[in-house]
Amino acid sequence: MEKSVIELFAGVGGFRVGLNEIIIEDNKVIENDNYTFVWANQWEPSTVSQHAFDCYQARFGESINHVNTDISLIDKKTIPNHTLLVGGFPCQDYSVARSLSKEKGIEGKKGVLWWQINDILKVKTPPFVLLENVDRLIKSPSKQRGRDFGIMLRCLDDLGYGVEWRVINAAEYGHPQKRRRIYIFAFHKSTKYYNQIITNRASEIFNTNGFFSSTFPIEKNESFTETKITKEFYDDLVKMTQSFEFKFENTGLMLKGTIYTRKSNPVIDKNIITLGDIRLKTPVEDKYFINEYEEKKFKDLKGGKKIERNKNGHTYFYSEGGMSYPDKLNVPGRTMLTSEGTINRSSHVIEDFVTGKNRIITPIETERLNEFPDDWTNTGMPERRRYFMMGNALVCGVIKKMGYKLSNIIESE
């Protein structure tokens, strides 16, 4: 089976960088041809400038199959056939309501991106799917915990897929950033992999025989909880929206409409990559260093505090724990946000290697925290956008590890 891939919500190409182990030499992209990327879509609706797409094309070349169009406007039949669909999509509202004029479900407006994936799966039915999202997806929304993820799983079950998921903290498996994300692996019932997996008990899949277990090992445990989302329990997605609620844990599986889930503890990789390891060892520009005013501001933002607040006549205290200042160099970096590089509580401040003075991290160091090649986003976009892109990106090394497992699975087909 050909290892052909489409990349949705592609950003600056994190899935492709990881799966094909991309490096840059003499400003040229060197790409392992393990996976053939046949189509990619990236569209940023909130801005005229399409910096992420421009970066994608700068690194991978201009192509009619690199598409900078709202995914909802694309005829799904025109997307090339593929073996693997990958993408990182926002955590949104996946609720479904029934209209007065017709029985068909109407998707929640905020959840359009998931429904676009769903539509592609209906039309193209790729054998395998690998998705990434923020870990709060399994707890969304706050007033009906687990509903949104349950709806996603029901969609996939209706389309004939089995699913395995895991919340992975990249730093616990030897990567340079404490970035926690949920990864969702779906496999169609027509595959040999599906028919092999269903012969295993849930605990065997979690502990040894599943997609994640060999690459991201966890402490062995036989326990799990389960629930069902089949039509016998919920007629359709509208019923799911109205009444489904479930406590999803960080490890889970869905086969034939039955969900199995358990809380797992990682077998932590002792070979860590630290913030000090990715720090530049050469001089950096003066603009990254912190002046006295900024120093005071950062210390205040990162310090512990207990603030009295009043809401609707009720007084309460807002507490915030202190953070290391500057950041410790002997541990992996904290989770990057899109505000990285600004005077913000979440921004990294490190001791410069050459001068010993405090400074913010550079765009190259943000790329290293996500395991992109140095200067990957140095393609003409403003520097602020380079920070923003890395705050939105995934850790490529995590995808690289999954790529080895995926390659074996696809080749076995």
Side-chain angles (χ1 to χ4, degrees):
M1 183 179 286
E2 184 185 28
K3 286 179 280 190
S4 55
V5 186
I6 71 165
E7 187 172 15
L8 304 180
F9 322 114
V12 296
F15 271 99
R16 187 164 177 174
V17 169
L19 288 174
N20 278 345
E21 304 175 52
I22 287 171
I23 61 173
I24 293 181
E25 289 183 357
D26 299 325
N27 206 33
K28 292 182 180 179
V29 171
I30 308 298
E31 184 168 8
N32 182 326
D33 292 330
N34 195 27
Y35 292 87
T36 303
F37 281 71
V38 297
W39 195 81
N41 179 265
Q42 167 57 32
W43 169 254
E44 177 52 62
S46 62
T47 178
V48 174
S49 300
Q50 297 291 313
H51 293 123
F53 180 76
D54 292 343
C55 178
Y56 196 96
Q57 291 234 106
R59 293 308 182 195
F60 300 120
E62 294 186 11
S63 169
I64 59 171
N65 287 327
H66 297 163
V67 181
N68 184 219
T69 304
D70 184 340
I71 189 72
S72 68
L73 303 177
I74 292 172
D75 181 353
K76 308 304 184 284
K77 294 178 183 178
T78 66
I79 297 173
N81 293 334
H82 50 281
T83 301
L84 173 65
L85 179 153
V86 300
F89 61 106
C91 179
Q92 298 176 318
D93 178 8
Y94 307 137
S95 62
V96 180
R98 208 182 306 282
S99 69
L100 294 175
S101 60
K102 51 188 176 181
E103 289 298 296
K104 184 181 179 181
I106 300 174
E107 295 84 5
K109 290 181 180 179
K110 292 181 181 179
V112 291
L113 298 183
W114 162 251
W115 300 111
Q116 294 305 314
I117 296 173
N118 192 58
D119 288 348
I120 293 171
L121 297 181
K122 282 181 182 178
V123 174
K124 308 305 294 189
T125 318
F128 302 103
V129 181
L130 181 61
L131 304 173
E132 178 257 8
N133 209 309
V134 293
D135 61 338
R136 70 174 179 273
L137 170 64
I138 58 176
K139 298 179 181 179
S140 172
S142 60
K143 293 183 179 179
Q144 194 179 336
R145 295 291 191 188
R147 182 202 70 190
D148 290 352
F149 193 49
I151 287 173
M152 275 186 59
L153 293 178
R154 173 60 184 268
C155 289
L156 289 165
D157 183 59
D158 286 346
L159 293 171
Y161 287 92
V163 181
E164 191 178 347
W165 74 86
R166 175 82 72 79
V167 175
I168 295 173
N169 182 337
E172 292 175 339
Y173 292 100
H175 302 279
Q177 185 185 173
K178 299 172 184 175
R179 198 171 189 84
R180 184 179 283 104
R181 290 292 184 269
I182 184 171
Y183 294 91
I184 303 160
F185 177 57
F187 38 96
H188 196 261
K189 63 184 179 182
S190 62
T191 62
K192 291 180 182 177
Y193 182 79
Y194 178 98
N195 288 286
Q196 177 267 318
I197 279 293
I198 61 174
T199 65
N200 291 266
R201 292 181 291 112
S203 58
E204 291 174 328
I205 296 169
F206 293 153
N207 293 331
T208 54
N209 298 338
F211 175 71
F212 296 107
S213 57
S214 60
T215 308
F216 306 97
I218 54 177
E219 295 176 2
K220 289 181 171 51
N221 188 326
E222 298 295 315
S223 65
F224 55 83
T225 58
E226 63 181 272
T227 191
K228 294 184 182 295
I229 53 172
T230 52
K231 291 182 179 179
E232 290 83 1
F233 294 85
Y234 301 95
D235 291 342
D236 54 22
L237 295 177
V238 179
K239 291 292 186 183
M240 291 278 294
T241 295
Q242 293 169 344
S243 59
F244 181 81
E245 190 168 357
F246 183 66
K247 185 180 180 182
F248 289 102
E249 300 289 1
N250 60 357
T251 296
L253 171 73
M254 188 272 294
L255 288 173
K256 297 181 178 180
T258 300
I259 292 168
Y260 310 87
T261 188
R262 53 163 281 203
K263 184 176 181 180
S264 65
N265 297 311
V267 176
I268 294 175
D269 191 329
K270 295 178 181 178
N271 298 311
I272 65 171
I273 302 174
T274 68
L275 192 54
D277 292 332
I278 65 96
R279 177 178 58 164
L280 286 166
K281 305 300 190 291
T282 53
V284 303
E285 294 179 61
D286 290 343
K287 63 181 179 179
Y288 299 113
F289 288 91
I290 294 167
N291 61 36
E292 288 185 17
Y293 168 78
E294 293 166 336
E295 186 95 22
K296 184 177 183 304
K297 192 76 174 173
F298 269 121
K299 286 181 178 179
D300 180 58
L301 288 167
K302 291 175 180 287
K305 53 187 71 71
K306 190 174 184 181
I307 304 169
E308 184 176 324
R309 291 182 176 174
N310 190 288
K311 184 176 182 180
N312 300 326
H314 297 283
T315 300
Y316 68 98
F317 286 92
Y318 169 75
S319 298
E320 208 168 46
M323 300 171 67
S324 297
Y325 182 83
D327 283 88
K328 295 178 180 179
L329 294 170
N330 62 346
V331 294
R334 291 174 289 100
T335 302
M336 276 192 297
L337 304 181
T338 55
S339 57
E340 185 66 55
T342 65
I343 301 176
N344 187 290
R345 176 176 166 87
S346 64
S347 288
H348 291 78
V349 176
I350 62 173
E351 183 182 286
D352 183 62
F353 180 82
V354 176
T355 67
K357 295 178 181 179
N358 288 343
R359 62 170 174 83
I360 60 172
I361 60 175
T362 66
I364 286 177
E365 287 162 332
T366 67
E367 290 162 344
R368 290 180 178 183
L369 281 174
N370 279 329
E371 298 182 298
F372 280 84
D374 284 4
D375 270 331
W376 183 258
T377 56
N378 189 13
T379 55
M381 73 176 77
E383 188 168 86
R384 174 90 291 277
R385 295 298 290 175
R386 294 183 67 186
Y387 284 105
F388 183 88
M389 296 302 165
M390 287 300 104
N392 263 342
L394 46 71
V395 177
C396 299
V398 171
I399 301 301
K400 178 180 175 180
K401 287 180 178 177
M402 292 183 191
Y404 298 144
K405 180 76 173 182
L406 267 169
S407 184
N408 290 333
I409 289 171
I410 294 171
E411 287 172 2
S412 295
E413 292 293 315

